[in-house]
Amino acid sequence: MWMTNVVAVCLLAILASAEDKKLSSHATTLADNSADLAFSLYHNMAKEKDTENILISPVVVASSLGMVALGGKASTASQVKTVLSADKLKDEHLHSGLSELLSEVSDAKTRNTTWKINNRLYGPSSVSFADDFVKTSKKHYNYDHTKINFRDKRSAVNSINEWAAKSTGGKLPEITKDVQNPDGAMIVNAMFFKPHWDEKFHDAMVDTRGFLVSRSFTVGVPMMHRTGLYDFYDDTEKRIYLLNMPLGQKQASMILIMPYQLEPLDRLEKLLTKTQMDTWISKMQSKAVAISLPKISLEVSHNLQKHLAELGLTEAVDKAKADLSNISGKKDLYLSNVFHASAFELDVEGNPFDTTIFSSEKLRNPKLFYVDHPFIFLVRDNKTKSIMYIGRVVRPKGEKMRDEL
């Protein structure tokens, strides 16, 4: 009995220690820096007129940049640190910190949310990957490596799409229709993210409603509804609603940012900075909120090569200047494509809700948060303050409905 108690105490101590484990200073710095990267990259992508839905994981982009630094030498590698605002970090601290950060926010054992992350570096069939690079990039960034004949474009595209589909359980059937610049190395991130709400929606309370893509175009989407206590802020000056919806075991939250009425997101996006987000979050208060949220799935793929170049990653993507010789032992590669693709689902699933609250006064006169027009969202880790996802929903999948405006 005495021994059993000792073992039990030891197990509790281990669990408490694991739960209270703090990030290293390097990981903490990189968590903060990756949040800066989130807004810079989002703004850069939002400028493109043809882009509708946006879906990017800044911590995954940061870890992919770390992999580029690992494969690079001289100024090609140092540029990565500049993009990550990590010039003062030693190389080993950059890699260990990024690895620690990604492991923390994507740990399926402690987080009740589905997030499958798959990374692969494709090289032309002529390349030979250096053993040390393969081993180290797998250790820190969980990257696989493969050679492919890019000159047979149809076969290469099919192979890439088949890998992405298989690695996401069929959730991401296609990430590209073409491969540009067939003589370089290509990064592919293929992910599937499905939030698990801290309090679920009632699956019987789902109906079809109109989502206003524009004043002349409406699509029908399943809409899920629930009323509960949430951190909420009504910015009356800027005419914006913000709602914080906890995920899983409250380790992370989805923050929804929505203009009062249907309008292009340009005005809201100009306001969107890390400082502004911190200000909004600090003003949130727990209130009764009646939420109507689209039950949707998105499949979004971006080629980030141009956007990363515009943020300062100019050498790695330049065939004449790139020095990625740690990848193959030769100065024979540059970064020709960076495909960043995600399947993203919003569903009713979550933890059981507290039924006792419905008989109390707490839910009287709830604020309405009716998501029937384009909005921006962040998935924010509460421990590291890093941004797991940032994106916007402009056009969800759905059948065209009768014009309503």
Side-chain angles (χ1 to χ4, degrees), residues 180-236:
Q180 301 295 327
N181 306 320
D183 54 349
M186 181 173 68
I187 285 174
V188 181
N189 308 131
M191 294 166 283
F192 171 51
F193 187 86
K194 184 177 182 179
H196 186 96
W197 308 112
D198 178 57
E199 290 191 327
K200 67 181 180 180
F201 288 79
H202 198 299
D203 55 8
M205 293 179 65
V206 177
D207 55 8
T208 300
R209 302 283 180 100
F211 186 96
L212 309 174
V213 176
S214 68
R215 293 195 174 275
S216 60
F217 190 76
T218 301
V219 296
V221 298
M223 194 78 79
M224 47 193 185
H225 315 275
R226 80 174 310 272
T227 300
L229 291 176
Y230 291 94
D231 286 343
F232 176 84
Y233 179 58
D234 178 358
D235 189 332
T236 54

Side-chain angles (χ1 to χ4, degrees), residues 131-146:
D131 290 341
D132 186 58
F133 171 77
V134 169
K135 181 180 177 181
T136 311
S137 58
K138 180 70 174 177
K139 172 188 172 184
H140 288 305
Y141 301 115
N142 197 30
Y143 257 82
D144 293 324
H145 311 79
T146 191

Side-chain angles (χ1 to χ4, degrees), residues 34 37-38 40-45 47-48 56-58 60-68 79-80 82-84 143 187-189 302-318 335-340:
S34 69
L37 175 66
S40 298
L41 187 54
Y42 179 93
H43 284 141
N44 197 280
M45 297 172 69
K47 289 187 299 185
E48 292 207 329
I56 48 176
S57 172
V60 172
V61 173
S63 69
S64 294
L65 288 172
M67 190 275 296
V68 175
Q79 267 193 355
V80 174
T82 302
V83 173
L84 290 173
Y143 257 82
I187 285 174
V188 181
N189 308 131
H302 304 289
N303 190 344
L304 300 182
Q305 190 223 35
K306 180 181 73 171
H307 302 295
L308 291 173
E310 289 174 355
L311 294 182
L313 194 76
T314 57
E315 282 201 15
V317 301
D318 188 324
L335 197 57
S336 58
N337 296 275
V338 181
F339 287 113
H340 187 78

Side-chain angles (χ1 to χ4, degrees), residues 9 36 38 60 84 90 118 134 151 167-168 262 288 298-299 307:
V9 170
D36 287 321
V60 172
L84 290 173
K90 294 180 179 179
N118 305 276
V134 169
R151 298 192 183 282
S167 60
T168 57
L262 171 65
L298 303 173
E299 295 88 38
H307 302 295

Side-chain angles (χ1 to χ4, degrees), residues 86-330:
D87 300 87
K88 295 179 181 179
L89 283 184
K90 294 180 179 179
D91 288 352
E92 60 267 30
H93 293 156
L94 175 75
H95 302 307
S96 64
L98 286 171
S99 177
E100 184 183 353
L101 173 61
L102 189 59
S103 296
E104 170 68 32
V105 300
S106 63
D107 185 358
K109 292 181 180 178
T110 61
R111 292 169 179 269
N112 196 5
T113 285
T114 300
W115 195 12
K116 297 179 180 177
I117 304 170
N118 305 276
N119 302 308
R120 180 168 280 193
L121 179 68
Y122 285 92
S125 49
S126 59
V127 75
S128 295
F129 293 112
D131 290 341
D132 186 58
F133 171 77
V134 169
K135 181 180 177 181
T136 311
S137 58
K138 180 70 174 177
K139 172 188 172 184
H140 288 305
Y141 301 115
N142 197 30
Y143 257 82
D144 293 324
H145 311 79
T146 191
K147 294 191 284 187
I148 194 169
N149 181 9
F150 286 125
R151 298 192 183 282
D152 184 351
K153 281 195 175 184
R154 179 180 294 181
S155 177
V157 167
N158 288 341
S159 178
I160 292 163
N161 287 334
E162 285 171 7
W163 170 78
K166 183 178 180 180
S167 60
T168 57
K171 298 292 184 178
L172 204 57
E174 181 180 89
I175 61 172
T176 184
K177 295 181 183 297
D178 193 15
V179 175
Q180 301 295 327
N181 306 320
D183 54 349
M186 181 173 68
I187 285 174
V188 181
N189 308 131
M191 294 166 283
F192 171 51
F193 187 86
K194 184 177 182 179
H196 186 96
W197 308 112
D198 178 57
E199 290 191 327
K200 67 181 180 180
F201 288 79
H202 198 299
D203 55 8
M205 293 179 65
V206 177
D207 55 8
T208 300
R209 302 283 180 100
F211 186 96
L212 309 174
V213 176
S214 68
R215 293 195 174 275
S216 60
F217 190 76
T218 301
V219 296
V221 298
M223 194 78 79
M224 47 193 185
H225 315 275
R226 80 174 310 272
T227 300
L229 291 176
Y230 291 94
D231 286 343
F232 176 84
Y233 179 58
D234 178 358
D235 189 332
T236 54
E237 180 186 344
K238 297 180 172 65
R239 307 187 308 283
I240 293 167
Y241 294 124
L242 293 101
L243 180 72
N244 187 323
M245 297 185 67
L247 306 182
Q249 307 301 330
K250 297 187 177 179
Q251 304 103 325
S253 297
M254 177 175 283
I255 300 172
L256 302 167
I257 315 162
M258 182 178 68
Y260 281 2
Q261 297 172 327
L262 171 65
E263 64 174 85
L265 290 176
D266 310 31
R267 179 182 69 85
L268 172 53
E269 288 169 337
K270 288 175 182 176
L271 301 171
L272 199 63
T273 64
K274 190 171 74 169
T275 301
Q276 179 63 73
M277 277 305 307
D278 289 341
T279 300
W280 276 330
I281 290 169
S282 71
K283 292 182 177 181
M284 285 183 165
Q285 294 181 342
S286 179
K287 296 181 182 293
V289 184
I291 304 168
S292 293
L293 185 66
K295 180 179 180 288
I296 54 175
S297 60
L298 303 173
E299 295 88 38
V300 183
S301 182
H302 304 289
N303 190 344
L304 300 182
Q305 190 223 35
K306 180 181 73 171
H307 302 295
L308 291 173
E310 289 174 355
L311 294 182
L313 194 76
T314 57
E315 282 201 15
V317 301
D318 188 324
K319 185 177 180 179
K321 297 180 180 178
D323 184 352
L324 296 173
S325 51
N326 281 339
I327 294 179
S328 65
K330 300 177 183 178

